[in-house]
Amino acid sequence: MDGRFLGAFAFAGFVVVPALRVVATVVSAAVLSLGFVVVVLDDGGTPAQAAASCAAPGTSAVSTVQPVPGSSVAGFDAAQMKNAAAIMKAASDLGLPVAAQLIGVQAAIGESTLRVIDFGDSAGPDSRGLFQQRDSWGPYADRMDPAKSSALFFKALQRVEGWESLEPTIAINRTQRNADPNHYTQFRAKATEIVKALGGEAAAMVDPSGVCPGEGNQIVGDLAGKWVKALPDAVMTSGYGPRPAPPGTAGGVLANFHYGIDFSTPGQAGTILAITDMKIVKIRNLEGMFGTGVTGQTLDGKLTIGMYHMEAGSLKVKEGDTVAAGTPLGTEGATGNVSGRHLHMEFYAGALPNPMIPINATIDPTPILKEKGIL
């Protein structure tokens, strides 16, 4: 059994139980180009909502916005939310996207629970402030100031090569240089809640990857009812149906059934294509076990197709787009709960906006693909 097949066999396509889903996200520069939410404070330091529209890095400055009073998140008091707003403003002042705002809040939750603390620990007795910055980071007064310490953090983050495409906890670890690179993962969900709360209406649709809602509803290509191979030159590495799962595989006993079909391109990553004309109804950016991928509905509403584990940042379509068969969707990857590069594809009967196992039952893609002459 080669390593590629093992990757598809061991993890890909096994049941995704909502309680087991863990957000582990990465945002590439390509994804960030979709836009970002900038959150500012008024002169009194009150949290303010995001700009009315998402602006890509390097575009014109956003207009002044009105504050959102009473922004709150369970488990965080007014002082903590104010500190989070200061972190987000520091990022926006440096022209950084919402992905950076999320990282900053995530880091500060992990370091200080969003409080300006005047003590360190055994590993860093001189650590102080929101980010537990040591003496080498700057003067004590700056480290104890939410705005200034946040600016120190973001400037250090920008010096981390490729920080935009790193998993957030890794980007933070390389900035903070703490012992456990995975320490910050547990704080991503709460950071997202806080950024969305402080960002107001314009941030409501921002997902944990830091992607701003894209303008979809485009028609791409000639809709002719064709079917094509989703991954040209690929071989099928795992079919639909029962198979023994390795011990410890996420999903428990339900993991002994493969709910989709897997393909892998020998030698190099292939380009994943829309298998038929479809409307894109769900975009996933490094979302839990799915990784990066898309879900689309056939235009007759009879079938919903999920295509997962694509390369981070490679998606070429947006939610709401209608794409023709053969339209490039992204690049074959190994994101999500996998150990090898491949495409995992799931079929569902009917038009479902966000299908999941075991809530929604899959159907075997094999006879459909054979009937269409592409398997």
Side-chain angles (χ1 to χ4, degrees):
M1 184 181 298
D2 65 29
R4 183 179 64 250
F5 183 83
L6 177 61
F9 181 90
F11 300 103
F14 287 125
V15 60
V16 179
V17 181
L20 295 174
R21 289 172 57 197
V22 178
V23 174
T25 58
V26 178
V27 183
S28 74
V31 173
L32 289 176
S33 67
L34 293 177
F36 65 100
V37 174
V38 177
V39 177
V40 299
L41 300 178
D42 66 8
D43 292 338
T46 304
Q49 76 174 38
S53 62
C54 295
T59 59
S60 59
V62 297
S63 58
T64 303
V65 292
Q66 297 301 313
V68 176
S71 298
S72 62
V73 169
F76 294 85
D77 61 25
Q80 290 169 297
M81 294 297 285
K82 183 176 181 180
N83 288 334
I87 293 169
M88 294 166 68
K89 182 179 185 300
S92 71
D93 287 347
L94 291 169
L96 295 174
V98 70
Q101 293 179 315
L102 281 166
I103 283 175
V105 175
Q106 180 181 359
I109 295 174
E111 294 290 355
S112 67
T113 65
L114 286 173
R115 297 191 185 280
V116 181
I117 55 179
D118 196 13
F119 57 86
D121 56 21
S122 58
D126 54 339
S127 299
R128 294 293 185 274
L130 281 176
F131 294 92
Q132 284 290 277
Q133 293 158 334
R134 304 190 67 173
D135 289 343
S136 59
W137 282 73
Y140 169 81
D142 289 354
R143 290 179 287 142
M144 293 293 289
D145 181 278
K148 292 179 180 179
S149 64
S150 297
L152 289 173
F153 172 83
F154 288 119
K155 289 176 181 178
L157 174 67
Q158 289 179 286
R159 292 193 291 270
V160 174
E161 184 176 358
W163 69 268
E164 303 97 326
S165 60
L166 294 173
E167 185 176 347
T169 189
I170 302 301
I172 300 170
N173 169 255
R174 294 183 183 178
T175 303
Q176 297 290 92
R177 300 186 182 278
N178 65 304
D180 179 7
N182 297 309
H183 169 67
Y184 304 96
T185 298
Q186 60 190 305
F187 308 112
R188 184 68 174 187
K190 279 298 181 183
T192 304
E193 286 187 53
I194 289 169
V195 169
K196 287 161 73 76
L198 293 174
E201 182 179 354
M205 294 299 291
V206 173
D207 70 19
S209 72
V211 175
C212 198
E215 294 184 4
N217 302 313
Q218 302 296 311
I219 296 178
V220 182
D222 180 19
L223 306 179
K226 298 179 180 178
W227 283 71
V228 301
K229 290 185 176 181
L231 194 55
D233 303 320
V235 295
M236 190 173 77
T237 55
S238 188
Y240 183 91
R243 63 181 189 183
T249 299
V253 295
L254 293 177
N256 289 316
F257 193 96
H258 191 214
Y259 292 88
I261 189 169
D262 295 343
F263 295 92
S264 180
T265 308
Q268 61 183 6
T271 298
I272 295 172
L273 309 177
I275 195 169
T276 188
D277 302 344
M278 62 174 66
K279 181 171 183 178
I280 305 301
V281 295
K282 177 67 177 177
I283 293 290
R284 302 183 189 280
N285 291 283
L286 290 163
E287 184 178 322
M289 296 184 183
F290 294 105
T292 293
V294 304
T295 300
Q297 296 172 359
T298 56
L299 301 188
D300 59 10
K302 293 181 179 180
L303 193 64
T304 299
I305 302 171
M307 306 171 79
Y308 308 132
H309 306 314
M310 298 184 198
E311 180 180 307
S314 72
L315 295 185
K316 302 179 183 299
V317 293
K318 300 177 291 296
E319 288 182 8
D321 285 350
T322 300
V323 300
T327 300
L329 302 178
T331 303
E332 179 186 0
T335 57
N337 192 19
V338 300
S339 60
R341 172 179 52 78
H342 69 285
L343 164 67
H344 172 73
M345 191 160 50
E346 293 178 352
F347 281 26
Y348 300 82
L352 304 176
N354 185 21
M356 291 185 184
I357 301 297
I359 299 171
N360 306 108
T362 58
I363 59 176
D364 187 354
T366 308
I368 298 174
L369 299 183
K370 287 182 176 179
E371 189 270 331
K372 299 299 181 182
I374 54 177
L375 186 63

